[in-house]
Amino acid sequence: MRRLGIVVSVLTLVLGASSAAFATHSPSAQREVIGEHNKAQYALFLPYRWNGDLVVYAHGFIDPAVKTVALPDAAPVDVAPWVVELRERLLQAGYAVAYSSYSQNGWAVNDGAQRTRELRPLFSWYFNVPDRTYVIGRSLGALTTMLLVEKYAIESSPSISILGISLGGISDRAIDGALALCGPVGGGRKQTDYVAHTRALFDFFYPLGVDGKPVIPGDVLHVPEGLDYSSTSLQVQAIVGAILANPQAAAALASVDQVELPWTSFPELINTIVRVLGYNILGTNDLLARTGGASPFENRNVIYTGLGAYDAVVNAGVDRFAGSTQAFSYLKAYYQPTGNLKANVLTLHTTLDPDVPFTHEQALKDIVVRYTNDSTPNKLAQQHYNRYGHCNFTPAETVDAFFRLVNWVERGVKPANGALAP
């Protein structure tokens, strides 16, 4: 156990190559370390009254067109304030906090897992070895969290080496519990299918826009580089304009069983379609680069249903794509949960999530049930809010869920599955 007064002076020399610097931008932290390692930025926060436990946060999808990485308290700008408030609430409750930018954007599930793994040993070198370590993953970071829980909850040092420094030679519990927020926890292929089916069906229902040109250039697997998808972009305006000109087609698209698009009002339907198509436009080329150009989407034998007699028209006219075993293997590796949970996992989702369908929760349960042969697996608890929106719960609600996880880990009180009020 390294005491604070010793490690600071020693590690300033030993870890100097990691570009570490001390900062004071959190009012709830007595000490901070901001640094860089393996081309990723990291931030470590020690509260004034540390209870001995550490929370590591795994962030979600970042537009791969953004070529620089940034800590999640800075980017993306719409999520950063949420992360900052979550961090401050955890610090005020006595928990140390750590997070990484990762070294990559896009579908960075593997890189996110490796960079997040490094946070605990980094924190231990700068401060003390934590008594317990918890992971909170948001959106795509929740899938990263599942990978961490199943593969790296128990670490055998020196499986991680920081700047050539071996961290010991014994097995060590690296993750005591995990909170997976609004994530594609049913697996990467299920999520990519959701996006790709939506794009294929959108192209069927909206082949041309009001200007007589294709609403979105290319197709599911062929997205022109550099398309602007900001909220005021011409591309988004074209999609919204096409939907407004033919709202019946949007309602029909959302009625197809294979896409699971959530909505309770027409503005929500427009928002849902725009958001899902955004993942196709922003993420397709990144994912193809990771699969070596191999197709991660297969719909040649899919029979689209939900529109009654019109099903035949849809199935005759929708574009068909062949998938690749190479791409499916990549999505299995990064990541398809196996159900072998090596720490307690609590999931939190909204039932009307436009980005990540709520059906991922049932898919995860089915996976864990099959693995454990137990209809009520003792390491998985799942809770949800009946509301619209992706990750639409406040930092306060997230901390409440985290405390339920802690109570489960420390006292054996498993959270009840099901809906939360309101």
Side-chain angles (χ1 to χ4, degrees), residues 31-367:
R31 296 285 302 284
E32 301 179 16
V33 178
I34 311 297
E36 183 178 318
H37 180 65
N38 280 337
K39 299 181 180 180
Q41 300 172 31
Y42 63 85
L44 316 172
F45 303 86
L46 185 73
Y48 284 98
R49 295 178 179 83
W50 186 34
N51 62 14
D53 293 347
L54 171 66
V55 178
V56 296
Y57 173 78
H59 72 71
F61 179 86
I62 304 291
D63 182 357
V66 178
K67 299 306 180 183
T68 58
V69 296
L71 290 169
D73 56 20
V77 294
D78 58 330
V79 180
W82 186 95
V83 174
V84 170
E85 184 178 342
L86 176 66
R87 179 194 72 201
E88 294 304 296
R89 287 178 176 271
L90 290 169
L91 289 169
Q92 290 162 13
Y95 292 89
V97 176
Y99 42 69
S100 167
S101 64
Y102 313 159
S103 65
Q104 304 171 2
N105 295 328
W107 192 270
V109 175
N110 181 43
D111 180 70
Q114 302 314 317
R115 305 292 77 79
T116 302
R117 285 176 71 200
E118 293 169 347
L119 293 172
R120 181 173 178 268
L122 279 167
F123 181 90
S124 299
W125 277 107
Y126 278 106
F127 304 121
N128 279 359
V129 176
D131 296 328
R132 298 182 184 86
T133 302
Y134 296 94
V135 182
I136 298 178
R138 174 183 165 125
S139 196
L140 189 61
L143 187 57
T144 296
T145 296
M146 297 305 302
L147 188 160
L148 288 167
V149 166
E150 293 190 340
K151 290 191 173 183
Y152 303 116
I154 307 295
E155 293 277 16
S156 296
S157 299
S159 60
I160 294 181
S161 177
I162 303 297
L163 299 177
I165 302 172
S166 172
L167 301 179
I170 60 173
S171 293
D172 182 29
R173 172 159 287 281
I175 299 173
D176 293 272
L179 177 60
L181 306 171
C182 49
V185 291
R189 187 172 176 185
K190 177 177 173 62
Q191 181 63 18
T192 55
D193 279 354
Y194 171 62
V195 173
H197 282 310
T198 300
R199 171 66 196 271
L201 288 164
F202 183 87
D203 287 349
F204 168 80
F205 284 106
Y206 294 100
L208 300 175
V210 293
D211 59 359
K213 300 177 181 179
V215 180
I216 309 174
D219 58 36
V220 172
L221 295 176
H222 302 90
V223 177
E225 293 281 356
L227 282 183
D228 181 6
Y229 208 74
S230 58
S231 59
T232 58
S233 68
L234 293 177
Q235 183 59 80
V236 170
Q237 291 178 33
I239 293 170
V240 174
I243 295 173
L244 291 175
N246 187 0
Q248 294 81 8
L253 193 168
S255 298
V256 175
D257 296 327
Q258 285 69 30
V259 293
E260 310 162 335
L261 296 177
W263 61 294
T264 60
S265 66
F266 193 62
E268 286 182 356
L269 176 57
I270 294 175
N271 182 69
T272 292
I273 293 173
V274 168
R275 290 184 68 90
V276 179
L277 293 176
Y279 287 103
N280 172 257
I281 292 171
L282 299 175
T284 295
N285 292 324
D286 171 73
L287 187 56
L288 287 172
R290 295 174 187 274
T291 64
S295 168
F297 178 55
E298 166 71 67
N299 74 336
R300 288 177 299 175
N301 298 316
V302 172
I303 299 175
Y304 293 100
T305 58
L307 298 177
Y310 199 66
D311 287 348
V313 178
V314 173
N315 285 290
V318 72
D319 290 339
R320 300 292 180 171
F321 300 89
S324 163
T325 300
Q326 178 177 321
F328 298 153
S329 295
Y330 177 86
L331 290 174
K332 181 178 180 180
Y334 310 118
Y335 184 61
Q336 178 58 52
T338 65
N340 184 15
L341 305 182
K342 295 175 181 172
N344 292 350
V345 175
L346 172 61
T347 67
L348 188 63
H349 219 121
T350 50
T351 53
L352 299 173
D353 187 327
D355 295 24
V356 181
F358 181 58
T359 53
H360 273 280
E361 297 296 334
Q362 184 62 51
L364 176 62
K365 180 181 178 181
D366 292 343
I367 291 166

Side-chain angles (χ1 to χ4, degrees), residues 403-419:
F403 287 157
R404 292 192 291 273
L405 171 67
V406 169
N407 198 38
W408 183 15
V409 170
E410 296 186 6
R411 300 175 183 84
V413 181
K414 184 179 179 180
N417 293 313

